[in-house]
Amino acid sequence: METLLNPYVQALIKIVVIVLGFVMVTGTVLTLMERKWMSAVQDRIGPNRAYFPWFGNKKIVLHGAFQLAADGLKSMFKEDTVPAGADKAIFFLAPYFAFFSAIVVWAVVPFAAPIGGVTFQITDPNIGLLLVFAVTSLGVYGAVLAGWSSNNKYAILGGARATSQMLSYEIFLGLSLVGVFMVTGSVQVSKIVEYQGTYWFGDVIPKWGIFTQPLGFVMFFTAMVAELKRVPFDAPEGESEIIAGYFMEYSGMRWSGFMLAEYVGIVGVAALTVTLFFGGYHVPWLHADGFRLFGAVLPLPAWLVALLQIGAMCAKILFFCWFVIILRWTVPKFRFDQIMELGWKKMLPLALANVAVTAVWLMAWDALQK
Amino acid sequence: METKVKVLDRREGLYEALYVPAILEAFRLTIHHFLRNLFGKKDVVTIQYPEQHRRIAPRYRGRHRLTCREDGFIKCVACYMCEEVCPAHCIHIEAGELEDKSVEKYPVVFDIDELRCVFCGLCVEACPKDAIRMDTGIIAMAYTERDRFDYTRNLLKDAYRENEKTKFKKVPLPLTEEEALPNSVGIIQP
């Protein structure tokens, strides 16, 4: 394989398959799914009327699946307005900032264990998650620059809120993962996922992050939802107070860019959560040569194992996409000052305590082993 | 003066401050609704409007119609009571006579400007012959084609049946009661 394709071509193929084939499709479908799912939560039906007129007289609606095409066409043909006094260059660039940081996460997410030199991961830098956090933190620039360049008071309020929200969650976001790094002993994503493929008590309980760092998971997930700027942390958008917040002056396809960035971000957050805390591509008790539990063995060929792992990864990601969306329709939003209080007064001490307890526990465990 | 103060029993303490139990309870509720509406017995309250109509009360004041006598002729005797009482001045009637002596006087023109009408129902109350009613159950007079915005509505031409079989050849006759009340019966399936 290495002789056939040089690493750059391999990486390019992976980018096309993963980003265009999975992420963009899932993100786009999620825009419709959110509307259908929230309707289900609220005892409504949701979009169900879009249809193509050229299939005869019968209106084929497919439970509203054509709404995607209708939305896309509509936003493509809408006028791309620029407010008077806007900083045009930054106004045009801001959606790309938002989108860029949402999509970069996928560089390091592994979809299956490597087989014979082929990795199912676009790249595996040894700085791993640090790279991810460096880049995803830039996502807030999308909001801030959009708010600042719009020349609109509501927009700049949204941008300011995005900044202060970022200051609140970013610290405990980093600290919540220090525990994971200490347990797995690496920041490299492939090492973290590999570690989660090992087991306690012989072969019974997998060492998934949710079992080794339950508190870390809660904090990480909270911080990631805050980074998505979704309910309950939607102060930057602040529908009820500041209309649409930082992107209220956008229209047409640029507005869609922000929306799509949000939904691609959901998929990215789901992927990171799965990778760090829910065993990544691991299926419980599935080893490289098949299922093994309590001495019973079910041997499977390598390609089937890889397929199962890819399937498990996608299923887990989709579950967490669903979870993030249901979360929006479950939890009331935090007020602006409540987010700061939660971040600085509650989550930060908790994260520090989590790091300390993990450190003591690991030291004690090592001492006991000797 | 005594003010009414309702003291709420606010639960406080660590259990409430944690948020987590409350959030879990909320998840139980939303996921219950989600699963029921997607997979189980649907409990949606949506009415698919253009195909289905909402059940409205019989006394709802919708679009006007003229009623008919037992022999099929319109009840209206062109007495101008409704035109006089109308606060919006939206009714226009012109009277005429027939050779048939069972009809003393009848409207040759009966127009209602639906855009000026305030749907107060005074014309219905003023009518001595119970000739005009607002019980059609048509609540929205909105159309997608310009031609159908017939807003100076000629009630004499409005959903009338053929009158060739009766002795009154000149005047179109109103629909019978069953035909005239399409929407006030309940939700109509497409």
Side-chain angles (χ1 to χ4, degrees):
Chain A
M1 206 52 142
E2 288 100 320
T3 52
L4 202 63
L5 297 169
N6 74 41
Y8 296 105
V9 178
Q10 276 194 32
L12 210 62
I13 292 173
K14 286 176 203 161
I15 289 173
V16 169
V17 171
I18 292 178
V19 175
L20 292 183
F22 179 73
V23 183
M24 294 303 289
V25 171
T26 316
T28 315
V29 172
L30 272 186
T31 59
L32 175 65
M33 281 300 124
E34 164 141 46
R35 293 167 71 184
K36 292 299 273 188
W37 290 343
M38 82 184 179
S39 308
V41 169
Q42 297 170 347
D43 291 349
R44 297 187 289 112
I45 292 177
N48 67 341
R49 301 199 86 88
Y51 68 98
F52 283 114
W54 49 78
F55 292 141
N57 289 325
K58 194 164 166 55
K59 290 180 183 179
I60 304 167
V61 291
L62 287 182
H63 298 279
F66 297 129
Q67 188 70 35
L68 283 174
D71 288 345
L73 279 175
K74 179 195 163 195
S75 56
M76 257 186 258
F77 285 108
K78 275 186 94 164
E79 186 189 354
D80 187 16
T81 56
V82 183
D87 192 325
K88 274 190 189 166
I90 296 178
F91 187 78
F92 287 153
L93 275 177
Y96 296 99
F97 268 99
F99 203 78
F100 164 74
S101 68
I103 211 101
V104 160
V105 176
W106 296 94
V108 295
V109 174
F111 274 77
I115 314 175
V118 180
T119 56
F120 292 85
Q121 189 180 10
I122 294 171
T123 178
D124 190 24
N126 54 7
I127 53 168
L129 283 168
L130 300 183
L131 171 78
V132 169
F133 290 130
V135 181
T136 51
S137 306
L138 292 179
V140 79
Y141 275 101
V144 173
L145 292 180
W148 183 74
S149 64
S150 293
N151 190 27
N152 180 306
K153 292 186 179 68
Y154 290 119
I156 201 159
L157 275 177
R161 286 182 178 198
T163 321
S164 82
Q165 179 164 314
M166 189 269 282
L167 291 177
S168 309
Y169 70 75
E170 198 71 36
I171 294 175
F172 75 85
L173 169 62
L175 280 174
S176 66
L177 285 183
V178 172
V180 176
F181 298 153
M182 287 199 294
V183 170
T184 55
S186 176
V187 293
Q188 198 172 354
V189 182
S190 57
K191 294 257 176 64
I192 293 176
V193 178
E194 249 170 58
Y195 178 84
Q196 295 182 74
T198 54
Y199 292 83
W200 277 314
F201 310 117
D203 249 359
V204 186
I205 300 177
K207 286 183 182 173
W208 286 7
I210 182 72
F211 300 124
T212 54
Q213 287 287 316
L215 207 56
F217 163 69
V218 172
M219 288 184 290
F220 173 79
F221 197 72
T222 312
M224 281 322 248
V225 174
E227 185 164 288
L228 281 174
K229 298 188 266 297
R230 281 175 68 85
V231 176
F233 300 99
D234 70 335
E237 287 180 32
E239 195 85 42
S240 49
E241 314 108 52
I242 51 173
I243 307 168
Y246 59 91
F247 63 94
M248 73 167 289
E249 287 289 358
Y250 283 83
S251 63
M253 214 52 204
R254 285 179 204 285
W255 179 87
S256 297
F258 275 114
M259 287 310 279
L260 205 57
E262 182 180 328
Y263 287 97
V264 168
I266 293 175
V267 192
V269 164
L272 276 185
T273 311
V274 169
T275 308
L276 294 173
F277 292 99
F278 287 85
Y281 49 74
H282 287 295
V283 185
W285 312 301
L286 178 66
H287 296 259
D289 53 351
F291 282 104
R292 276 212 306 270
L293 182 63
F294 297 126
V297 181
L298 175 67
L300 292 172
W303 59 269
L304 191 59
V305 171
L307 273 185
L308 276 175
Q309 285 175 339
I310 292 173
M313 184 72 185
C314 294
K316 287 178 193 175
I317 288 175
L318 291 181
F319 173 79
F320 275 95
C321 291
W322 173 82
F323 188 76
V324 172
I325 282 174
I326 291 293
L327 181 73
R328 176 169 177 187
W329 305 106
T330 301
V331 185
K333 69 183 282 190
F334 282 108
R335 215 169 46 216
F336 181 53
D337 59 315
Q338 288 171 332
I339 296 176
M340 306 255 271
E341 191 178 308
L342 182 77
W344 288 100
K345 287 188 183 168
K346 288 176 182 156
M347 285 303 196
L348 182 59
L350 206 60
L352 286 170
N354 187 38
V355 171
V357 168
T358 310
V360 170
W361 176 262
L362 286 175
M363 295 283 281
W365 187 258
D366 278 356
L368 280 176
Q369 295 291 329
K370 285 167 194 167
Chain B
M1 207 173 94
E2 203 175 329
T3 50
K4 282 184 182 174
V5 178
K6 189 179 180 187
V7 181
L8 290 174
D9 180 26
R10 297 191 78 144
R11 288 176 293 173
E12 283 172 7
L14 184 67
Y15 183 82
E16 290 294 314
L18 273 178
Y19 299 129
V20 179
I23 289 175
L24 290 180
E25 175 67 15
F27 265 116
R28 196 192 61 76
L29 186 72
T30 48
I31 291 175
H32 172 72
H33 275 256
F34 177 81
L35 293 177
R36 185 182 61 186
N37 287 328
L38 274 198
F39 304 112
K41 183 172 145 287
K42 287 190 174 37
D43 196 18
V44 294
V45 293
T46 313
I47 295 166
Q48 299 288 343
Y49 171 62
E51 292 92 23
Q52 295 177 349
H53 286 266
R54 190 175 166 196
R55 184 189 187 90
I56 60 170
R59 292 176 58 182
Y60 185 93
R61 296 195 292 270
R63 199 171 80 186
H64 313 75
R65 71 179 177 102
L66 294 182
T67 52
C68 53
R69 304 193 311 208
E70 276 182 8
D71 66 351
F73 197 72
I74 40 180
K75 275 184 182 172
C76 180
V77 294
C79 68
Y80 297 97
M81 294 273 258
C82 50
E83 192 178 330
E84 282 301 314
V85 79
C86 180
H89 304 299
C90 64
I91 302 178
H92 173 68
I93 301 170
E94 284 171 20
E97 281 182 13
L98 280 182
E99 285 175 13
D100 191 321
K101 290 304 165 196
S102 72
V103 179
E104 203 174 331
K105 206 174 155 200
Y106 81 103
V108 182
V109 177
F110 198 118
D111 284 348
I112 289 185
D113 188 343
E114 301 275 14
L115 279 179
R116 298 186 74 174
C117 177
V118 293
F119 294 91
C120 61
L122 284 184
C123 51
V124 180
E125 283 181 34
C127 186
K129 292 287 184 184
D130 190 22
I132 185 166
R133 288 190 190 170
M134 298 177 79
D135 58 357
T136 50
I138 297 171
I139 60 173
M141 281 152 276
Y143 304 104
T144 50
E145 298 120 43
R146 264 169 200 277
D147 299 344
R148 295 191 63 193
F149 280 100
D150 182 19
Y151 268 132
T152 308
R153 185 175 284 283
N154 184 352
L155 284 194
L156 289 177
K157 286 186 182 169
D158 187 27
Y160 275 55
R161 65 191 152 96
E162 300 284 321
N163 63 352
E164 285 165 6
K165 286 173 189 171
T166 64
K167 55 181 179 174
F168 308 105
K169 303 290 182 193
K170 287 182 180 174
V171 190
L173 299 175
L175 297 172
T176 57
E177 290 290 301
E178 295 79 38
E179 292 166 324
L181 301 173
N183 294 333
S184 56
V185 194
I187 291 178
I188 295 163
Q189 299 297 333

